Amino acid sequence: MTNKEQDKVTRRKEITENYFQFLDKHIEDVVLGKVDEFMEINQIASELFVSHKHLTDTVQKETGSHPCHFYDLKILDEAKKMLLETDKSISEIAKILTYDPSNFSKFFKKFIGQTPGQFRKENKK
């Protein structure tokens, strides 16, 4: 591999890592109420000083999946954590995650295969 090719690979990895770090921090800020809503991918790209297309292409080449896929998974991880570790109602969790409660339930079920209530009931100790 030439130096130029190696630089491209290194830059792709760097952009992808920056994206994941940004997502973690951004989702935490939403959960803590520091930010009112989730950013769109194009806004995140702008914060990372790359174009929307470049971010999407880079993350997809690096991971095999679209950036939205990881965004959704990280939001779902946060939702699952809240369902299992807090006594907040499902609608409170939905609001914290900036969802309308019915849309949150649909979103959750689409990915997890259960409603948030079913998930909590089956997994909470």
Side-chain angles (χ1 to χ4, degrees):
M1 193 179 288
T2 67
N3 280 351
K4 193 171 185 173
E5 290 169 330
Q6 186 58 49
D7 287 348
K8 272 186 176 177
V9 169
T10 303
R11 181 69 180 133
R12 269 203 329 250
K13 283 186 182 350
E14 181 187 350
I15 290 169
T16 302
E17 285 171 19
N18 289 346
Y19 173 69
F20 286 126
Q21 288 169 356
F22 187 92
L23 278 188
D24 290 340
K25 172 91 175 79
H26 178 54
I27 291 169
E28 180 184 328
D29 286 348
V30 170
V31 170
L32 294 173
K34 293 180 182 178
V35 179
D36 290 340
E37 56 189 33
F38 287 112
M39 297 171 93
E40 300 288 329
I41 296 289
N42 63 334
Q43 295 170 304
I44 293 170
S46 181
E47 290 287 320
L48 297 175
F49 304 102
V50 295
S51 72
H52 178 260
K53 180 171 177 20
H54 187 58
L55 177 65
T56 301
D57 291 349
T58 301
V59 171
Q60 208 147 10
K61 268 186 195 137
E62 200 58 27
T63 65
S65 294
H66 193 280
C68 291
H69 172 75
F70 298 106
Y71 206 169
D72 289 341
L73 291 180
K74 286 181 177 283
I75 292 169
L76 287 162
D77 284 346
E78 201 55 50
K80 289 193 281 190
K81 196 161 73 175
M82 282 193 261
L83 286 165
L84 300 178
E85 296 174 7
T86 74
D87 290 326
K88 287 180 174 34
S89 71
I90 291 163
S91 92
E92 272 181 280
I93 292 170
K95 285 185 178 106
I96 289 168
L97 296 173
T98 73
Y99 279 87
D100 170 84
S102 70
N103 289 341
F104 173 68
S105 288
K106 288 176 198 158
F107 167 73
F108 193 91
K109 186 169 184 170
K110 177 182 160 193
F111 283 92
I112 308 300
Q114 300 177 299
T115 65
Q118 291 166 329
F119 176 84
R120 175 180 263 169
K121 195 171 155 188
E122 284 185 21
N123 295 284
K124 197 162 185 175
K125 292 177 174 118

